[in-house]
Amino acid sequence: MRLESLVDGAAWAYLGLGHGSPVLLVHAATAPNAVRHVLPVLPTEQWLPSLTAAWAAVAAVVAT
């Protein structure tokens, strides 16, 4: 659920800021979405670090 929220937030950021750097900002949404799709096959101990890494990636891209 947190990853879905992160994807939604990144998509909203793209809508507001995407005109400045569309290729970079679209990846702010696609990266956490990719994590969301592979999460079921990851060991559960990798879920939180994966969420944390996805959040950090989105924050860095949007901040840039």
Side-chain angles (χ1 to χ4, degrees):
M1 199 163 168
R2 289 181 183 174
L3 279 168
E4 287 181 34
S5 178
L6 186 58
V7 171
D8 289 346
W12 279 106
Y14 177 80
L15 289 174
L17 304 169
H19 63 280
S21 185
V23 174
L24 181 64
L25 278 165
V26 77
H27 286 91
T30 60
N33 196 42
V35 172
R36 186 174 67 87
H37 285 290
V38 300
L39 206 60
V41 298
L42 291 177
T44 55
E45 61 268 7
Q46 290 297 314
W47 290 7
L48 184 57
S50 297
L51 171 63
T52 303
W55 184 92
V58 170
V61 169
V62 172
T64 300

